[in-house]
Structures are given as structure tokens and as C-alpha cells.
Amino acid sequence: MQIQKAFVTKAERLTPALFEFETLPTAAVEAIADEQAFQGWRMKKTDDYENVLHRSFGKGESVTLDFGDHLVGYVSFAVEAVGSPPDAPLKLKLVFGEMPCEIGENFADYDGWLSSAWLQEETIFIDVLPAVVRLPRRYCFRYLKATVVDASRKYKARFTDFRCRTVTSADVSNVPPLPDGVPEDLAAMDRVAIKTLRDCMQTVYEDGPKRDRRLWIGDLRLQAQANYATFRDRDVVKRCLYLFGGMPLESGAVGACVFEKPQPHVDDTWLYDYSLFFAATLYDYYEATGDKETLEELWPVALRQLRLGAERLDERGVVKDDPSWWCFIDWQGDLNKQASAQAVLIYCLKRGRALAEAAGDAEAAAWIEGETNRAAEAALAHLWDAERGVFVSGDAAQVSWASQVWMTLAGVLEAPEASALFDRLHANPPAIGMNTPYMFHHYVEALFACGQAERAWEELRAYWGEMLRDGADTFWELYNPKDKRFSPYGSNLINSYCHAWSCTPTYFIRKYWKPAA
């Protein structure tokens, strides 16, 4: 890793202060198995929270509290003994859940391939009662289940207070009002999207405040776009750009993600598309802020990503598809990513040229123009199936939504041709679909880009609107309306139910909404 200390130092100086709010539970609830509910569970109210404070709990008894909304923060509670003086410690188990499934299912049955340490639970021992307990870890949840694992037969436990000190770097007072005439269903979607972004905005743009809890560039790019339309906080985006720019991998490539603690450091994960998105994210930042100093300092980093991306083109000008690389695009195991990657390269080269011109780098601008033309011509010559009227990918000439979406965003086809392409796709949908709000964001953006605004609004309502109908109070990492238990990790318990790349309905609504004439 080649650390540019000046960039990292600048990033650390931009570390934001956190706003804090205190939130109390609203009710006691119970997780109910229900095959008709999202992922098979729903919550049923059982009592008012105030009544819980008058109850006592013995060995094996539990209570689940609903805090009324999704929270990111630090939990504290007060507990006392009822009955005889306590002659043994109180052993408590606390389980935190963003969704009912995390309360209803047993964490001990988890069998996914991501670490079970991400499952949010605590077992604590309280030696002296009464006590006020402040949990040191930050949690991401709406529901909290407290179980008395054990205590003496001589006493029971009574909880006298629960609260959460929530934290975010987002200044809600900066959010402008919605455009005139936005209907209520989109206004509700906007509110949840903003809440999603707010809960992910910490000292960096976290991808998910429950799981991963770090800065990924694919998430950053979409969060930043939503932020420019809502919280308008340029410094957190700038901090993230300098962290990525200051800690490249040995090749000079920007890493896919970075950690803040114990000191800033880059992960060893490299993704072809994510490294290219550094240039696109810097382009968006400059467009939103006009910050020439940051552009000029980080332009060499962005240019390096474009050069590395172009090095992967073969003699035909097509991205080489072999086992030596990893390109994300979507959590879709059957997706061949060659065509999508080709389009991402073209998309980022075009934004890189605008950066080069703004930075006064004529030599780089000329090189980028040549590489853009080369890659776009190769896409049409080798990845476009004229007979079927679709882009194909890989040796098997796979047809997927992702390939068509990204080629549209890259502008490989003119808007009328791209619009006709989507008409054909909707008449005969590709077998390789989309599994994440990340990919659906690009799909909706592509529809707007090719002039299909009415269909874009329909798809926005069908996808994020369905999430709302399934009970989302923040938008989720993964969502397939046809398979609502979908998880690429082997268990939906480990899914993130507040995820950065899902917050973009607010961006679409604030950028594209126009009231009917």
C-alpha cells in the first residue's frame, strides 16, 4: 500500500462531529411466525412500554421492545432486583433486530458464510443490582429482545429504563422541501430514503451500519448523489474521497473499501468497477461543489484508475473476461460481467475526460477520448447482437438486464435506440435478473436517460414501493420481490436492512419529478 500521508491527514481533519438524539421504546411486541409476512415473520404489539417497567422477569422470561423506528446508536438500560436481596449475578441476553426475522429466528441456527459475529447479540453479567448498564458497542436496530438467562430463585429483574442515544453526521435541517406536486406515495418513499441515508452517514458513508460498517466506493457514489439533493454535506464526501485517494493498493488501484480504525487503512479487496467509480465519484463531487482544489489534487488518482481499467482491454478493445479479476455489478451469481464492465469503463472514461478538461490536462483528455472511442466501437462490434437487438456478454453470449442497463448509461446507443432496446426487453425479459437496489438504481437511471420517464416511475414504485409495503422503515441491501428470502450469504439473518446503496429514491424524486402539465 502506497500511503499519501497528506491526503489521509486531510481526510482525518474532515472527520465530522456527530449529532445525537435520545430515543425511548414505544411498545412491547412479540415476533409471530407468518408465512404471508416478509421473510415469514411479523411483529404483534403485546403491551405498552410503560407497563413493561412495572413487570418483573425471572429465569427464562423475556421481553421484546419496539423503538418505533430504525436506530443507529448506543443502548443503555436500568435494572433492579425485586424480591429478596440478589445472591447471584443477573445473566442477561440481548438480541437486536432491524427486522422481525432477527428476533423470531434463533441465531444459533445461522449457517451463512459471513461471520456470525455480525449477528447483533450480547450476553452480559450484572454483579450488583440496581445498576445502570451502558453498552459500549454501537447497534443498528428497531427491536430489542431482553432475556433473563439466569438469576437466583430469590429475586426477579425489573427494568426501569431503556433508551438509545442515536448518532449520525447528517444535519436534517439542511434538507430542502420536496418539489411541488410530489404525490404521497413518493413522499413516503423519500422520507424512508432520507432516513436510510441519515443512518448510514456516520464519520464516513458506511455501506451498512449493522454489517460491514465501513466505506465502500460503490455505495459512496450513490450515497453522495443522494446527499447532494438532501443533506448537502460536501465535507463527508470529500473526506471519503481523500481516504480512498490516499491509500491505494500497490498497483495504484483504489481499493474497494477502507477502514477507519485503529487507523485508516485500505482493505486488500480490489473490484474492477469500483476502482473505476473513483473517477465518477470525483466527477459528481466536482459537479456538485465546484471544488477545484480537490479536483486538482485527486485527478492523478482518478486518471490512474482509468489507465488501469483500459489496460484490461484485449486486442479487440473488449474487457478480458477470465478468472484473474473480480467485478461486482450486482449480487447475481449467474451474471457474466464482461459487457457490464465494458460499459462501466466507457461511462467512467467519459466522466474522466470532463475532469481532465477541468484540470487543464489536455494530454490526458486526448488519451481518454481515444480510449473511449476504442471501447465504444468494440462494444458495438463484438458485444452487440444485431439480430436479436441486445448486448451479449461472455463466451456464452449471455443476455442480462445488467448488460443492457450499463450500455445505456454509457451512452453506447443513442437515446431512441436505447429506448427501443428497453421496449424489447420488457416484451421479452432476460433470464438474468437483478437482486439489489444497487442494480435497480442503475436500471431506473437508464430509463430516465433514454427518455422512458413514465416507465422509470413505474419501476421505482414497483420496487422500492414494494419494500415499503413489506414493512421497510429504511431501505434494504437486498430485495428480490419474487424471492423475499433471498440472500447471497446463505441466510437472510445476516442481510443488512439499512443499506447505503438503497437510498437513491430521494435522488430520483428530487432530480426528475415534474408535476403533470
Side-chain angles (χ1 to χ4, degrees):
M1 180 178 70
Q2 306 165 355
I3 296 179
Q4 296 199 44
K5 292 184 179 179
F7 286 0
V8 177
T9 298
K10 183 170 286 191
E12 291 296 82
R13 288 175 180 163
L14 290 165
T15 304
L18 297 179
F19 297 93
E20 298 185 0
F21 308 89
E22 203 160 67
T23 304
L24 275 62
T26 59
V29 293
E30 179 184 4
I32 304 293
D34 183 349
E35 286 303 314
Q36 303 304 311
F38 177 67
Q39 296 184 340
W41 294 89
R42 62 178 173 85
M43 285 297 188
K44 175 184 176 182
K45 180 179 177 180
T46 59
D47 207 347
D48 294 327
Y49 170 62
E50 290 76 12
N51 293 335
V52 173
L53 303 181
H54 299 287
R55 292 166 51 192
S56 56
F57 300 86
K59 180 178 179 178
E61 296 179 320
S62 65
V63 63
T64 299
L65 300 174
D66 181 358
F67 279 72
D69 202 354
H70 187 274
L71 304 177
V72 178
Y74 298 87
V75 169
S76 64
F77 64 92
V79 60
E80 64 185 18
V82 176
S84 299
D87 59 343
L90 175 63
K91 182 179 180 181
L92 290 178
K93 182 176 182 179
L94 304 174
V95 174
F96 298 83
E98 295 181 286
M99 294 295 290
C101 64
E102 296 166 274
I103 300 300
E105 298 181 37
N106 190 343
F107 283 177
D109 296 332
Y110 171 73
D111 192 30
W113 60 268
L114 288 182
S115 171
S116 63
W118 285 118
L119 300 176
Q120 299 186 107
E121 60 182 343
E122 294 267 10
T123 299
I124 62 175
F125 296 84
I126 303 171
D127 293 310
V128 178
L129 295 170
V132 175
V133 179
R134 294 179 175 85
L135 301 181
R137 295 190 69 204
R138 196 193 73 192
Y139 282 100
C140 176
F141 70 103
R142 174 172 173 169
Y143 307 105
L144 167 57
K145 183 177 182 179
T147 301
V148 175
V149 178
D150 210 348
S152 162
R153 295 181 180 180
K154 297 179 66 177
Y155 75 94
K156 290 187 174 184
R158 182 166 65 202
F159 301 104
T160 59
D161 182 55
F162 275 97
R163 59 190 63 222
C164 179
R165 177 171 56 89
T166 63
V167 290
T168 178
S169 61
D171 186 350
V172 297
S173 67
N174 281 342
V175 179
L178 280 169
D180 292 340
V182 172
E184 179 50 37
D185 67 325
L186 293 183
M189 195 181 297
D190 180 77
R191 288 191 293 270
V192 174
I194 289 174
K195 183 66 165 64
T196 305
L197 177 60
R198 173 186 167 184
D199 283 1
C200 291
M201 283 179 66
Q202 300 296 326
T203 49
V204 294
Y205 282 97
E206 294 182 0
D207 64 324
K210 179 182 85 173
R211 202 211 66 242
D212 285 12
R213 296 173 58 166
R214 58 186 183 269
L215 172 63
W216 288 81
I217 199 163
D219 300 78
L220 166 64
R221 177 173 153 266
L222 300 193
Q223 284 174 291
Q225 290 179 330
N227 165 69
Y228 301 139
T230 55
F231 299 114
R232 299 178 290 184
D233 187 331
R234 62 187 276 174
D235 283 351
V236 182
V237 183
K238 185 175 176 178
R239 165 172 162 77
C240 295
L241 285 167
Y242 274 105
L243 284 172
F244 279 116
M247 300 182 296
L249 302 171
E250 290 296 332
S251 65
V254 167
C257 66
V258 298
F259 300 88
E260 293 182 273
K261 305 294 182 184
Q263 66 280 324
H265 59 288
V266 66
D267 190 33
D268 56 4
T269 301
W270 173 77
L271 297 173
Y272 182 81
D273 49 344
Y274 273 32
S275 65
L276 286 168
F277 283 141
F278 182 85
T281 308
L282 181 59
Y283 168 85
D284 292 339
Y285 173 80
Y286 182 64
E287 284 288 295
T289 68
D291 182 352
K292 191 73 172 288
E293 178 184 353
T294 296
L295 164 64
E296 291 175 344
E297 286 195 330
L298 294 178
W299 164 237
V301 181
L303 178 59
R304 179 61 177 156
Q305 308 318 304
L306 300 177
R307 291 192 184 279
L308 288 169
E311 285 177 6
R312 193 159 187 89
L313 297 176
D314 63 19
E315 66 281 356
R316 302 171 302 162
V318 176
V319 170
K320 288 179 281 191
D321 183 27
D322 60 39
S324 68
W325 74 322
W326 186 15
C327 184
F328 176 67
I329 303 298
D330 190 24
W331 273 123
Q332 171 55 267
D334 296 326
L335 175 65
N336 181 279
K337 300 173 182 180
Q338 182 185 48
S340 303
Q342 183 90 6
V344 169
L345 174 62
I346 297 166
Y347 176 93
C348 293
L349 283 168
K350 288 182 175 180
R351 280 144 187 80
R353 183 180 177 187
L355 291 175
E357 292 172 347
D361 191 343
E363 181 181 350
W367 174 82
I368 292 170
E369 182 178 11
E371 291 301 296
T372 304
N373 292 336
R374 176 188 174 208
E377 290 167 5
L380 289 171
H382 302 289
L383 301 176
W384 175 251
D385 185 326
E387 183 177 340
R388 290 188 285 174
V390 293
F391 288 97
V392 297
S393 186
D395 292 339
Q398 181 191 84
V399 179
S400 69
W401 279 104
S403 295
Q404 323 311 315
V405 163
W406 270 110
M407 286 294 180
T408 299
L409 290 174
V412 175
L413 299 178
E414 297 295 329
E417 296 173 296
S419 180
L421 167 62
F422 278 108
D423 287 341
R424 292 192 293 274
L425 294 172
H426 284 92
N428 185 24
I432 307 300
M434 300 173 279
N435 280 329
T436 61
Y438 179 77
M439 190 61 232
F440 264 87
H441 164 89
H442 296 110
Y443 168 50
V444 172
E445 187 81 275
L447 291 173
F448 280 120
C450 72
Q452 294 205 7
E454 184 175 348
R455 179 170 279 162
W457 292 117
E458 290 173 0
E459 296 291 353
L460 193 76
R461 285 176 156 118
Y463 189 73
W464 279 272
E466 184 73 4
M467 258 193 272
L468 290 178
R469 289 185 286 274
D470 274 335
D473 44 24
T474 52
F475 288 127
W476 307 328
E477 172 191 18
L478 303 147
Y479 188 61
N480 183 338
K482 297 178 181 178
D483 179 9
K484 295 185 179 182
R485 293 182 183 268
F486 170 73
S487 174
Y489 313 120
S491 170
N492 56 269
L493 287 176
I494 209 79
N495 289 1
S496 169
Y497 294 98
C498 173
H499 214 73
W501 66 29
S502 309
C503 71
T504 55
T506 188
Y507 158 81
F508 291 125
I509 294 165
R510 291 163 186 273
K511 181 176 181 178
Y512 292 112
W513 176 259
K514 294 180 176 61

